[in-house]
């Protein structure tokens, strides 16, 4: 078997895919999956053969060519040749294409439908996007991510190759979805899809989760009697935004607005916007989302009629996203704590302009479906969403919110791994580095989560351990925690100890298989720039 460089062919293939987003109807939603046209030139025929060979291989298996040592993979029927930036693993690729959001009786799909019932057609078109492979251009560049944004780092993002990633957020499809609104007036969309982030391991984090994104735009009113100048057209548009907001049902939530008068320096109204009109967009955004929370949580409370419920409390706080300004996050007080549900803001005007929406103004938001679904269905561990156990799946029915009943609790098994972090600096991450901007995380890249090895941030990153455990144990790892850390007084070397909790939701793990997994983890960790103790 031989693989050779398929660069030119794959670039053409990719370019064709990136530029075209035909809409095919998929049961009440539009699949905005990229077009599969393949432009071939004669000189790329040989490369094409190799790519076709890859495409004919079993999906999501990493195929290595012995002669050239190059690897590649077939993801959802399309070939990708790896390069030095690649960090996708078979275990993560194995989760691609499950379409939980399109499985009617699955809690992810039930939650999606509930959200869609609040943002309804014809104003909102509903999209899904089955293929998670997107260009770095779509995931980061067109959205204005700075070059040093932590979300771009290989420690946080799954790279298929240097120009292609598993999308880290549904905003990767924003540009395409906005283009789809060019010939409509006041309009909007939702996009629902699986997204991928290299992240920590615990009950609320999984490397794949689902996001729902929405946007809404208002167009300048056309010139007519009494409306001639652009200012008058804008006034008429503002009037429509206000009357749309007045049409949103009232709610009885308790709102804490810590972002009511947002900061001119850190969270400004865009210079190109009229501040009064921008304020109307913000009000519409906030009322629309409060209405969503009201609907969703009333449904959750109805599923527990015997429990006395406190009035719902939500909180607005300021946020930062490269593609909205001003920006906010919405949190809800649930079971004694604030839970971040979503990020949102007034869409940057250049993003609308670049998509052909020069006469429009509007908002966008992006929400974690698991976060909502865990609350709605009382699901205690994010891994359960991936369970194929009938005892889990049989509990849910489309259109219904029911409380999850734990089928049993199997024992945990803790194993530690300790190592020295070498003092010599290792090679830096080829893509990006740790943030110097200190920007809040958007689309992954938690700028607040320092690497434990902060003396050599590029040499060792906690997410590398997480990835190894994911790769070896898959959903059998419940959490991984740093339990001990100290610096040797003489050598200056740092020692770290991580505790891995292996536990299945479906059966008791045997000692032998846990030991086996942990041995594999230890062997792989030893390949990192660390010294096992
Ligand atoms: C974003 O991903 C932005 N694209 C959202 C956005 C869209 C902002 C449009 C403005 C306009 P963030 O990284 O905060 O932002 O993720 C959005 C939501 O996804 C979070 O509020 C949270 O509900 C959910 N989320 C983020 N990380 C995880 C995770 N590891 N596990 C489960 N849910 C997560
Ligand atoms: Mg966030």
């Amino acid at each position: 078997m031989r693989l050779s460089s398929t660069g030119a062919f794959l670039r053409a293939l990719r370019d064709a895919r990136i530029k075209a987003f035909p809409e095919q109807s998929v049961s009440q939603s539009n699949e905005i999956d990229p077009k599969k046209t393949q432009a071939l030139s004669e000189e790329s025929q040989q490369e094409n053969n190799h790519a076709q060979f890859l495409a004919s291989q079993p999906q999501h298996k990493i195929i290595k060519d012995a002669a050239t040592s190059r690897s590649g993979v077939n993801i959802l029927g399309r070939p990708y040749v790896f390069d030095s930036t690649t960090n996708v693993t078979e275990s993560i690729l194995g989760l691609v294409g499950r379409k939980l959001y399109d499985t009617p009786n699955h809690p992810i799909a039930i939650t999606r439908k509930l959200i869609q019932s609040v943002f309804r057609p014809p104003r909102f078109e509903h999209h899904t996007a089955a293929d998670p492979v997107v260009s770095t251009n779509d995931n980061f560049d067109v959205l204005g991510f700075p070059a040093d944004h932590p979300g771009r780092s290989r420690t946080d993002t799954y790279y298929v190759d240097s120009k292609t990633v598993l999308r880290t957020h549904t905003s990767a499809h924003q540009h395409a979805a906005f283009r789809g609104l060019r010939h409509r007036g006041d309009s909007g969309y939702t996009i629902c899809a699986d997204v991928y982030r290299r992240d920590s391991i615990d009950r609320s984090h999984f490397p794949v989760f689902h996001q729902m994104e929405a946007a809404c735009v208002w167009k300048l009113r056309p010139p007519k009697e009494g409306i001639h100048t652009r200012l008058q057209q804008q006034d008429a548009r503002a009037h429509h935004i206000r009357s749309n907001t007045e049409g949103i049902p009232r709610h009885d939530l308790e709102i804490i607005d810590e972002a009511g008068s947002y900061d001119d320096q850190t969270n400004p109204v865009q210079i190109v916007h009229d501040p009064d009109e921008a304020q109307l967009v913000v009000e519409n955004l906030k009322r629309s989302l409060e209405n969503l929370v009201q609907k969703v949580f009333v449904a959750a409370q109805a599923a527990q009629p015997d429990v006395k419920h406190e009035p719902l409390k939500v909180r607005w706080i300021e946020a930062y996203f490269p593609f909205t300004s001003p920006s906010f996050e919405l949190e809800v007080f649930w079971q004694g704590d604030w839970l971040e549900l979503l990020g949102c803001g007034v869409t940057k005007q250049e993003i609308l302009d670049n998509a052909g929406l020069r006469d429009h103004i509007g908002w966008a938001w992006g929400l974690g479906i698991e976060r909502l679904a865990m609350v709605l269905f009382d699901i205690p561990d994010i891994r359960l969403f991936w369970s194929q156990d009938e005892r889990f799946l049989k509990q849910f029915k489309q259109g219904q919110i029911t409380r999850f009943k734990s089928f049993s609790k199997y024992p945990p098994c803790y194993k530690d791994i300790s190592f020295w972090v070498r003092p010599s600096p290792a090679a830096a991450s080829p893509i990006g580095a740790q943030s110097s901007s200190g920007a809040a995380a958007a689309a992954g890249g938690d700028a607040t989560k320092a690497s434990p090895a902060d003396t050599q941030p590029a040499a060792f990153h906690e997410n590398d351990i997480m990835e190894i455990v994911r790769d070896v144990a898959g959903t059998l790892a419940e959490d991984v925690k740093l339990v001990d850390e100290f610096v040797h007084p003489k050598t200056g070397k740092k020692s770290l100890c991580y505790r891995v909790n292996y536990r299945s939701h479906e059966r008791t793990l045997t000692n032998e298989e846990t030991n086996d997994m942990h041995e594999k983890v230890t062997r792989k960790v030893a390949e990192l720039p660390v010294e096992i103790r």
Side-chain angles (χ1 to χ4, degrees):
M1 165 175 62
R2 281 184 62 82
L3 286 179
S4 75
S5 163
T6 57
F9 168 74
L10 284 174
R11 264 193 303 279
L13 186 85
R14 231 172 9 229
D15 288 349
R17 299 206 302 110
I18 289 159
K19 286 187 188 122
F21 287 79
E23 295 180 356
Q24 308 153 7
S25 192
V26 179
S27 63
Q28 291 186 326
S29 67
N30 299 316
E31 171 64 39
I32 55 166
D33 212 3
K35 202 173 184 176
K36 282 135 179 133
T37 44
Q38 303 186 355
L40 298 184
S41 67
E42 274 196 18
E43 64 270 22
S44 64
Q45 193 56 50
Q46 195 197 358
E47 291 177 347
N48 177 39
N49 291 343
H50 292 297
Q52 274 182 357
F53 166 75
L54 264 183
S56 71
Q57 294 302 299
Q59 282 192 15
H60 310 154
K61 288 264 161 282
I62 292 174
I63 309 287
K64 189 160 183 188
D65 170 28
T68 63
S69 299
R70 296 200 69 174
S71 299
V73 72
N74 162 3
I75 306 177
L76 298 177
R78 298 207 195 98
Y80 298 91
V81 175
F82 292 169
D83 61 24
S84 59
T85 316
T86 304
N87 63 357
V88 287
T89 60
E90 277 188 1
S91 75
I92 199 75
L93 292 170
L95 295 166
V96 168
R98 289 273 294 275
K99 286 196 172 182
L100 299 182
Y101 56 81
D102 234 353
T103 306
N105 294 330
H106 196 280
I108 295 292
I110 300 170
T111 308
R112 167 192 161 207
K113 293 280 178 192
L114 185 58
I115 304 169
Q116 286 181 350
S117 74
V118 180
F119 295 89
R120 282 197 298 268
R123 177 75 186 241
F124 291 90
E125 285 180 343
H126 297 315
H127 301 292
T128 56
D131 191 338
V133 182
V134 301
S135 66
T136 49
N137 186 59
D138 283 349
N139 201 77
F140 300 119
D141 302 340
V142 293
L143 294 163
F145 277 73
D148 68 346
H149 192 282
R152 290 182 184 260
S153 158
R154 277 176 87 240
T155 56
D156 293 84
T157 295
Y158 289 105
Y159 279 82
V160 178
D161 61 36
S162 63
K163 295 208 163 53
T164 318
V165 297
L166 298 182
R167 68 184 155 226
T168 61
H169 55 167
T170 41
S171 303
H173 302 293
Q174 226 186 60
H175 179 71
F178 275 133
R179 282 181 69 79
L181 303 183
R182 270 172 307 163
H183 307 296
R184 301 180 59 201
D186 295 354
S187 52
Y189 62 78
T190 72
I191 305 168
C192 181
D194 40 325
V195 303
Y196 298 74
R197 294 184 190 178
R198 288 177 107 237
D199 212 332
S200 43
I201 300 183
D202 62 39
R203 282 154 184 256
S204 64
H205 288 84
F206 202 68
V208 195
F209 60 100
H210 294 81
Q211 281 189 340
M212 176 87 120
E213 170 135 350
C216 182
V217 293
W218 289 267
K219 195 176 177 190
L220 280 183
R221 303 342 267 188
K224 61 178 185 193
E225 209 180 318
I227 302 181
H228 305 292
T229 64
R230 177 148 178 132
L231 211 59
Q232 288 168 328
Q233 286 178 267
Q234 203 172 295
D235 270 354
R237 179 171 72 180
H239 174 77
H240 275 262
I241 301 172
R242 189 184 293 110
S243 74
N244 281 174
T245 308
E246 282 162 5
I248 298 170
R250 303 244 161 259
H251 60 67
D252 53 11
L253 302 177
E254 188 184 325
I255 312 271
I256 301 169
D257 198 343
E258 292 182 1
S261 52
Y262 30 92
D263 192 303
D264 259 3
Q265 293 299 312
T266 57
N267 202 20
V269 167
Q270 295 163 52
I271 207 122
V272 292
H273 286 162
D274 168 58
D276 291 337
E277 196 181 23
Q279 182 57 30
L280 289 173
V281 173
V282 169
E283 273 164 24
N284 186 278
L285 168 66
K286 286 183 172 172
R287 296 297 90 77
S288 304
L289 285 166
E290 289 161 9
N291 180 43
L292 171 72
V293 171
Q294 163 93 1
K295 287 254 164 68
V296 166
F297 284 83
V298 162
Q301 293 177 342
Q304 280 182 303
D306 41 332
V307 177
K308 188 174 173 320
H309 297 283
E310 296 292 310
L312 268 181
K313 245 195 296 186
V314 299
R315 175 165 85 171
W316 287 104
I317 54 176
E318 281 194 20
Y320 167 81
F321 299 101
F323 36 94
T324 52
S325 192
S327 306
F328 311 98
E329 266 169 5
L330 179 60
E331 301 183 329
V332 55
F333 198 73
W334 185 260
Q335 296 180 348
D337 210 354
W338 289 104
L339 175 74
E340 179 195 322
L341 282 188
L342 59 91
C344 64
V346 178
T347 301
K348 287 254 179 95
Q349 198 57 42
E350 63 254 43
I351 294 209
L352 294 180
D353 292 353
N354 291 342
L357 299 175
R358 294 197 153 271
D359 290 342
H360 298 66
I361 188 169
W363 51 243
W365 52 257
L367 163 162
I369 296 193
E370 276 82 351
R371 292 272 165 95
L372 263 190
M374 287 172 87
V375 169
L376 271 175
F377 298 90
D378 211 13
I379 293 174
D381 187 323
I382 198 165
R383 292 177 296 160
L384 279 161
F385 291 104
W386 298 90
S387 172
Q388 289 173 310
D389 191 314
E390 294 272 285
R391 289 172 296 176
F392 175 77
L393 296 172
K394 281 265 160 74
Q395 293 195 29
F396 308 101
K397 264 245 139 8
Q398 58 181 310
Q400 292 176 18
I401 310 293
T402 43
R403 311 304 285 176
F404 169 68
K405 288 185 204 72
S406 198
F407 30 89
S408 52
K409 195 120 179 100
Y410 298 97
C413 181
Y414 296 98
K415 301 258 170 211
D416 289 354
I417 177 162
S418 304
F419 49 86
W420 295 108
V421 177
R422 284 183 198 150
S424 61
S429 162
I431 303 236
Q434 301 304 300
S435 171
S436 58
S437 67
D446 189 342
T448 60
K449 187 179 66 186
S451 158
D454 43 17
T455 45
Q456 312 98 34
F460 166 78
H461 194 289
E462 185 170 281
N463 283 353
D464 293 333
I465 301 260
M466 303 296 169
E467 191 57 27
I468 287 172
V469 175
R470 286 281 184 226
D471 207 30
V472 171
T475 57
L476 298 180
E478 182 162 293
D479 55 52
V480 179
K481 287 194 192 104
L482 182 65
V483 290
D484 188 42
E485 178 178 6
F486 70 89
V487 176
H488 192 285
K490 287 210 177 105
T491 63
K493 285 197 281 189
K494 184 180 260 187
S495 163
L496 301 171
C497 176
Y498 283 88
R499 180 158 298 164
V500 185
N501 174 12
Y502 299 92
R503 189 212 301 253
S504 165
H505 274 290
E506 288 151 15
R507 61 195 172 83
T508 301
L509 299 176
T510 64
N511 261 340
E512 202 183 3
E513 70 182 316
T514 315
N515 286 340
D516 244 30
M517 282 191 284
H518 199 65
E519 233 168 71
K520 275 195 197 124
V521 166
T522 309
R523 247 181 282 131
K524 288 196 173 189
V525 171
E527 290 167 20
L528 297 175
V530 305
E531 265 171 56
I532 301 289
R533 294 185 59 198

